[in-house]
Amino acid sequence: MTVFDMAEVSLRELNQALHDATDGEFEVVNPRGAHAVASGIDSEISVTIDGPVGYYCAGMHQRGSVQVNGNASAGLAENIMSGTVRITGSATMSAGATGHGGLVVIEGNAGARCGISMKGVDIVVGGNVGHMTAFMAQSGNLVVLGDAGADLGDSLYEANLFIRGSVESLGADCVEKELRPEHIETLRQLLAAAGMDADPTDFTRYGSARTLYNFHIDDIDAELAGGAS
Amino acid sequence: MTDWHQRESYSYDRNVIAEIRRAANTGIYRIRGWGAKRELPTLDDLVLLGASMSRYPLEGYREACGTDLTIGAETAENPISLDIPITIAGMSFGSLSANAKEALGRGANAAGTSTTTGDGGMTPEERTHSATLVYQYLPSRYGMNPDDLRKADAIEVVVGQGAKPGGGGMLMGQKITERVGEMRDLPVGIDQRSACRHPDWTGPDDLAIKIIELREIVDWKVPVYVKVGAARPYYDTALAVKAGADAVVVDGMQGGTAATQDVFIEHVGIPTIAAIPEAVRALKDLGVHRGRVKLIAAGGIRSGADVAKALALGADATSIGTAALIAIGDNDPAYDDEYRQLGSAAGVWEDFQAGTDPAGITTQDPTLSSRLDPVIGGRRLANYLQVLTLETQTLARACGKSHVTNLEPEDLAALTVEAAAMAKVPLAGTSWIPGET
């Protein structure tokens, strides 16, 4: 285990060391809310961060794992490609934004726009999520054990949203959908991967009504021409 | 019977009437490509003041007149070095065919300048064919991949675009093929409407942190640009500098697009001639003009005269999109019959959104795309860029400049009061700058 004390090591030195590593375990202490901690990891390393982190912790994460023992600010694991990012506390806005793959686990709550524009990532939130969660979410799965704020899944594409608690309101084109056996199995696997104890059948699935996928274009002239012929 | 009552209305001319009828028939706003087409104040409204008795010209065909530019020397391990002050603006694979992207890369390579990706990410072919490739970091993050980010020679954080400041891009269903859909993680055939703001930052303070994150991920190897659509260029430029940009790209309202609402293209943003001086004022106020932060002006750059005037107003470089497409074959008269079959004509074709481009440029149709020979297209672009550069040098030498970025506002005069006010240079034959003198 290699330990980096951010009271003594700069962000640049820390991230460069993590980028240069190809394997191994690392511990970061005294992060003190620093931004971009452990961003850009691209190898099978394991990083544990003891304390709160600022914006974009584990941004663009690939392979390997990052665990934050504390809270995180905006953009936790934004654009994650693969691997795992776990946080024992809560995350503010845009956690897992645009993630293309991998798993993000937030044991506490997530703020606004969790999973915004997600593109294949799986996100599991132990607590509640804020407004505009999964806005324009394209694919992947979002699991929320608590409640969801207003405008859940606005302008959703093909992502699946599983909410165990209440939903303040659904966004445009987001609708409740049947929880079929394959979804229950997906939920079971995600809950197990996240280490969360919950019954998959207690969740409600939300998805896209797909009414916004294409413009609705009238053509009165063609209709009249067709009627005349 | 007199025909005085038959005259055409100024307010309701035939184009206006046609648009009202089209809107009434379809119930959808007009979506098209290209940039603003209505008459706007342009760089044509300025003239360069060549040397005479009070100024000393350089020998036009012989004396050196530098055109090179370096971006990011103070922050990036590998700064961008350009041979000419003209770059190729961001245009996506998806909006353009693979052959068109290849042609742009080949032409830019030959001229010693950069190309730029677009909404949808970087294709392997694009990286192969562009020696200097700027990777756009857009609100949609379609195709956003840290592996590609690390392959880029610079990163351009796109906040806005001249054709649609405040709006997101579009790619209509006809162009969302399986490959394009896979790159963007979207269902095939949907009408893609991109996000207009970034998903994980909301203001300039956040952007400063975002730029640090981007630099950390690429180990501070490459420069970071910020691109804004020209709306409030003084404040936008100042905030981009504050956020840490190495270059600010200011895109005037003449800047083109692959597809957006006509009402957006024609009615949002300000012309390039008005945007450059305000961006320069911000850079000067912050003490970075012609220094740490470079200004790249875009939107309606067509000739070496436009380049020279943009540089004289204070830009460090220019960027072209529409002109580059024309150079490689867009609106080719050879396809006039086919343009007419589509209800258009060579010279006015603007339906880049339709995917039916006879020239094979703004399409994903393999048959149409195959019409564009990327090698020939690249040669045409290289020739065009050479002409722009030679013209710029010719004009700079005439003003006595040994480097094109030595051009300055003092080398300009305005032909109209409006241009004088916007460009902040004197009305020709006077010392009057409206609002200033």
Side-chain angles (χ1 to χ4, degrees):
Chain A
M1 174 82 77
T2 304
V3 179
F4 294 98
D5 184 348
M6 291 195 71
E8 299 177 358
V9 174
S10 71
L11 176 73
R12 181 81 285 273
E13 290 169 318
L14 167 68
N15 283 334
Q16 189 67 62
L18 297 179
H19 297 173
D20 292 342
T22 54
D23 56 24
E25 295 184 5
F26 301 86
E27 184 178 10
V28 180
V29 298
N30 290 316
R32 300 182 297 185
H35 304 304
V37 174
S39 58
I41 286 176
D42 186 23
S43 62
E44 295 291 351
I45 62 174
S46 176
V47 180
T48 302
I49 303 167
D50 293 319
V53 290
Y55 281 43
Y56 311 131
C57 177
M60 299 193 201
H61 181 80
Q62 291 192 108
R63 305 188 284 166
S65 67
V66 172
Q67 171 155 331
V68 179
N69 295 322
N71 298 318
S73 190
L76 171 75
E78 63 87 13
N79 213 85
I80 180 175
M81 302 299 290
S82 60
T84 303
V85 174
R86 174 186 290 271
I87 174 174
T88 61
S90 295
T92 59
M93 72 169 191
S94 304
T98 77
H100 286 64
L103 174 65
V104 179
V105 180
I106 299 165
E107 295 184 7
N109 300 315
R113 303 181 187 87
C114 177
I116 182 173
S117 290
M118 53 192 278
K119 298 168 169 62
V121 65
D122 293 321
I123 303 173
V124 181
V125 181
N128 305 322
V129 291
H131 67 271
M132 297 295 279
T133 285
F135 177 51
M136 294 180 75
Q138 295 174 223
S139 62
N141 298 289
L142 175 72
V143 181
V144 179
L145 276 69
D147 302 331
D151 297 323
L152 175 73
D154 193 291
S155 304
L156 195 64
Y157 291 94
E158 294 298 303
N160 279 310
L161 315 181
F162 301 101
I163 312 295
R164 187 168 69 166
S166 65
V167 174
E168 185 175 338
S169 64
L170 296 177
D173 214 31
C174 181
V175 294
E176 182 177 331
K177 292 194 165 184
E178 180 188 3
L179 189 70
R180 297 194 297 267
E182 65 266 30
H183 303 123
I184 292 173
E185 176 58 21
T186 298
L187 265 170
R188 191 191 62 74
Q189 292 178 13
L190 287 173
L191 290 165
M196 303 274 185
D197 184 19
D199 181 348
T201 61
D202 287 344
F203 288 77
T204 302
R205 182 170 76 101
Y206 299 91
S208 175
R210 303 188 179 102
T211 63
L212 298 178
Y213 278 19
N214 291 95
F215 285 111
H216 302 289
I217 304 173
D218 200 356
D219 193 345
I220 296 172
D221 292 345
E223 186 179 310
L224 293 176
S229 60
Chain B
M1 180 177 171
T2 61
D3 63 356
W4 62 271
H5 61 291
Q6 298 284 340
R7 65 185 173 178
E8 192 155 331
S9 167
Y10 182 84
S11 299
Y12 291 84
D13 67 22
R14 295 178 203 204
N15 284 324
V16 170
I17 291 170
E19 170 53 19
I20 292 173
R21 291 184 56 78
R22 188 208 61 77
N25 182 52
T26 63
I28 185 173
Y29 39 50
R30 166 86 171 123
I31 297 168
R32 68 171 176 87
W34 201 277
K37 286 194 160 183
R38 68 193 174 108
E39 188 173 4
L40 293 168
T42 73
L43 294 167
D44 285 342
D45 299 325
L46 302 177
V47 289
L48 288 149
L49 303 177
S52 55
M53 290 292 284
S54 62
R55 300 289 186 278
Y56 194 72
L58 296 187
E59 186 59 51
Y61 304 109
R62 296 168 185 83
E63 287 189 86
C65 180
T67 60
D68 60 306
L69 177 70
T70 300
I71 300 171
E74 295 184 29
T75 53
E77 185 178 326
N78 305 316
I80 287 273
S81 293
L82 304 175
D83 293 340
I84 62 172
I86 309 146
T87 68
I88 306 301
M91 290 174 275
S92 72
F93 168 73
S95 66
L96 300 187
S97 66
N99 281 355
K101 291 293 287 183
E102 180 179 341
L104 293 175
R106 288 177 179 275
N109 289 352
T113 191
S114 60
T115 64
T116 312
T117 65
D119 213 0
M122 178 192 294
T123 64
E125 303 98 301
E126 183 173 28
R127 179 61 278 188
T128 301
H129 294 297
S130 291
T132 305
L133 181 59
V134 180
Y135 189 46
Q136 284 197 328
Y137 188 68
L138 291 124
S140 73
R141 311 279 168 87
Y142 291 135
M144 173 59 218
N145 184 323
D147 292 335
D148 293 336
L149 196 73
R150 294 185 187 97
K151 292 175 192 164
D153 299 297
I155 300 164
E156 181 173 286
V157 179
V158 179
V159 177
Q161 185 178 344
K164 44 181 182 275
M170 280 183 180
L171 195 65
M172 305 304 283
Q174 305 92 307
K175 296 169 83 171
I176 306 283
T177 61
E178 283 194 19
R179 185 180 182 196
V180 173
E182 185 178 342
M183 284 182 67
R184 300 177 190 220
D185 193 39
L186 289 171
V188 171
I190 72 157
D191 294 328
Q192 173 216 300
R193 284 153 279 178
S194 299
C196 66
R197 61 174 191 260
H198 283 262
D200 56 355
W201 59 272
T202 56
D205 292 335
D206 288 0
L207 176 57
I209 303 170
K210 171 56 69 176
I211 289 177
I212 288 172
E213 184 209 11
L214 293 170
R215 291 195 194 278
E216 283 292 321
I217 288 171
V218 299
D219 294 328
W220 292 72
K221 283 192 163 59
V222 301
V224 177
Y225 306 177
V226 172
K227 178 176 182 177
V228 296
R232 299 173 182 85
Y234 177 82
Y235 296 106
D236 289 341
T237 301
L239 291 169
V241 172
K242 185 261 183 191
D246 298 307
V248 182
V249 182
V250 176
D251 193 16
M253 71 179 289
Q254 297 100 322
T257 178
T260 202
Q261 300 96 328
D262 177 83
V263 72
F264 224 134
I265 297 171
E266 297 287 1
H267 298 282
V268 182
I270 65 174
T272 305
I273 187 177
I276 298 172
E278 285 294 276
V280 170
R281 185 164 69 88
L283 296 176
K284 286 182 174 175
D285 284 354
L286 294 168
V288 295
H289 183 239
R290 296 276 197 247
R292 180 177 71 78
V293 181
K294 306 304 182 191
L295 175 64
I296 302 174
I301 302 296
R302 307 150 297 172
S303 67
D306 285 344
V307 176
K309 293 171 188 175
L311 300 186
L313 287 174
D316 296 284
T318 58
S319 194
I320 61 170
T322 303
L325 297 188
I326 295 169
I328 66 173
D330 175 61
N331 272 285
D332 187 341
Y335 295 114
D336 189 55
D337 288 346
E338 292 185 49
Y339 285 121
R340 289 184 184 280
Q341 286 171 20
L342 295 167
S344 182
V348 297
W349 169 254
E350 62 185 23
D351 285 332
F352 298 168
Q353 83 289 349
T356 53
D357 184 0
I361 295 171
T362 58
T363 181
Q364 291 300 309
D365 181 291
T367 304
L368 294 173
S369 299
S370 67
R371 292 178 173 182
L372 178 68
D373 181 334
V375 175
I376 296 297
R379 282 176 58 193
R380 292 186 195 280
L381 177 60
N383 283 338
Y384 174 61
L385 289 169
Q386 178 171 288
V387 169
L388 293 186
T389 305
L390 290 170
E391 288 178 343
T392 306
Q393 287 176 301
T394 294
L395 296 170
R397 288 190 187 102
C399 295
K401 312 301 185 189
S402 60
H403 195 284
V404 292
T405 53
N406 291 343
L407 285 161
E408 54 193 325
E410 194 273 336
D411 295 312
L412 294 169
L415 298 178
T416 67
V417 174
E418 290 82 0
M422 292 181 193
K424 299 178 178 60
V425 299
L427 186 67
T430 78
S431 57
W432 180 42
I433 302 175
E436 296 205 355
T437 58

